[in-house]
Amino acid sequence: MKINNKEVLQSYILTTAKYDYSVYEKRILYRLIEVFQKYTTGNKLNDKVIIQKDLFDVNIVTLPVSMFLVNEVDKNHHRIKEALIRLENKIFEYEDDTTWQLIRLISEPKIEKYEQTATFRINPKIVEAFLDFSKGFKKYELKIAMEFESVYSMRFYELLSNQKTPINYSIDTLKDLFKVSEKYKRINDFFRYVIEPAKKELDKCSPYTFHYESIKTGRKITGIRFIPIHQPQFEDESLKKQKAMKQMSNRWFIPKNIEDYLKYNYEFTDKELNNNLSLFESLYNHLSEEELLDFLVDLKAQSVLYEIKNLKAYLIGSLKHKSEQIFEEKYMKK
C-alpha cells in the first residue's frame, strides 16, 4: 500500500518509553498511531480499516497487511507474522510522574490470507498511551519514519524531530530506553552499533539528524549531548506547503469583506476557510474582490431558489467549477 505522507503526532510518553522492537514491529505501531488518531478525531478511515469494540471496551482492529510494508516491492509478509508474534508477547512499559504500568501490547493476532488483512485486539490503555499528549508530543513525517531500515534510526528520529535545542542523555538512560543495557557492555560497542548507524541513516535521508558530543565524568564517558541538525532538503514539499498555508491568515487570500460574507451568510468557520485556502488562492489571483463578492451573492440567491440544503458544499463546488472555468479560458484556449 502506498504511504500517503502526513505529519503524525506521537505522545511523548511513547517516544520515551522503554522498549526494544524490530523495524517491522515499529512500522505496525506507526500505523496504529496513525489509525487511532484518525479514529478519535472523527476523520474518515480507509475502507479496509475496521475498528470495533467488544463488551469489555477492548478494540478489535483489522488492517490491510500492505499497510505495514514500505512499498509495492516489499514482500516480507513472513516478517509481518514474526512482528505480530513478537508484539503479542511484548509487554508495554511506560512511566509518568504518578504511574508505572505493564500492559500486553496486542493479543490474538490473526491474518486472513485471502483478504490479506491482519486482525488483533488492543487494550484501550495502549490506545490511551498512543494519544496521551499531556506530557508533550513529537511530530514526525509518517513516510520517512516507515522507510528507516534501523530501529535505532526510528528512535532517534522520534526524539529529535522538530527539536531545536540540544538534549543530553546519560548512557545508562539511553541504553535503558532502547533496552540494550545487557547487549552492549562496552561503551565503544554502543557507539559503534547504535549511535553511529542511526546517525548515518538520518544523515542520508531524514529532515532531522544530529551531531553528538561525549559527556565525561572524570575520564569516563557517562552521557551524550545531541545537537539537532535540520536538513530541509529531505522535507516533504507538499507537507511544507500545507504547514505554510495553515500558518497564513485567512485574509491573505480572503479579503475581510469576503471573509465576513462567508461567515455570516454561509456560516463558515476559520478552520473551514483554512481548509480551502488553496481554492481561494486560485480565485484571488484572477478575480477582483467585487467580482468574487458578486459571484457569492449570485450563488446565495440560486441556493434559495433551488432550495439547496448543504450551502457550504454547494458553494465550494461552485467555486471549484469557477476556478476550472478560469483556468480553461486562460490556458486551454488556442
Side-chain angles (χ1 to χ4, degrees), residues 31-225:
R31 286 302 201 180
L32 284 173
I33 293 169
E34 174 198 5
V35 164
F36 276 104
Q37 281 183 15
K38 271 189 170 183
Y39 179 67
T40 56
T41 54
N43 290 326
K44 189 177 186 304
L45 298 174
N46 183 306
D47 291 339
K48 295 182 180 180
V49 174
I50 302 170
I51 299 177
Q52 300 171 306
K53 288 182 182 289
D54 66 12
L55 294 175
F56 303 99
D57 205 35
V58 173
N59 298 283
I60 305 169
V61 183
T62 299
L63 303 171
V65 172
S66 58
M67 284 186 72
F68 311 135
L69 303 172
V70 176
N71 50 45
E72 290 79 2
V73 179
D74 188 354
K75 302 296 183 184
N76 279 314
H77 288 70
H78 70 283
R79 298 282 294 276
I80 300 300
K81 292 179 185 176
E82 290 173 358
L84 289 171
I85 291 170
R86 285 168 58 98
L87 286 173
E88 205 272 341
N89 287 292
K90 278 271 174 43
I91 301 297
F92 182 73
E93 176 184 357
Y94 75 87
E95 187 172 357
D96 60 24
D97 294 339
T98 60
T99 305
W100 173 85
Q101 192 169 8
L102 294 177
I103 309 170
R104 186 172 296 279
L105 196 51
I106 67 169
S107 62
E108 301 177 39
K110 176 177 66 174
I111 290 179
E112 295 290 350
K113 294 183 180 179
Y114 291 110
E115 286 81 7
Q116 284 294 292
T117 58
T119 299
F120 46 84
R121 303 164 77 85
I122 180 166
N123 190 298
K125 284 286 187 182
I126 298 296
V127 178
E128 183 182 323
F130 286 164
L131 304 174
D132 184 355
F133 302 123
S134 61
K135 299 297 178 183
F137 61 87
K138 283 291 183 179
K139 185 185 293 185
Y140 56 82
E141 292 184 24
L142 178 65
K143 186 174 185 294
I144 290 171
M146 288 285 289
E147 289 180 349
F148 285 124
E149 296 296 329
S150 162
V151 70
Y152 301 129
S153 302
M154 291 172 165
R155 293 302 305 267
F156 277 113
Y157 178 57
E158 293 168 15
L159 289 168
L160 294 166
S161 186
N162 289 284
Q163 180 75 25
K164 293 180 173 59
T165 58
I167 48 177
N168 297 343
Y169 282 101
S170 72
I171 297 295
D172 290 341
T173 296
L174 279 175
K175 284 185 173 182
D176 200 24
L177 283 178
F178 296 174
K179 287 291 185 181
V180 294
S181 297
E182 301 301 317
K183 194 171 183 180
Y184 301 114
K185 293 290 188 180
R186 297 174 64 244
I187 188 66
N188 287 343
D189 287 342
F190 182 66
F191 279 94
R192 180 181 178 185
Y193 295 111
V194 176
I195 306 297
E196 284 296 337
K199 175 173 167 52
K200 185 176 180 180
E201 191 170 17
L202 290 170
D203 286 347
K204 183 179 177 182
C205 62
S206 170
Y208 294 92
T209 186
F210 60 88
H211 170 69
Y212 69 93
E213 300 170 352
S214 299
I215 299 172
K216 292 185 177 182
T217 303
R219 299 178 62 183
K220 182 181 179 182
I221 297 175
T222 56
I224 304 174
R225 181 177 178 80

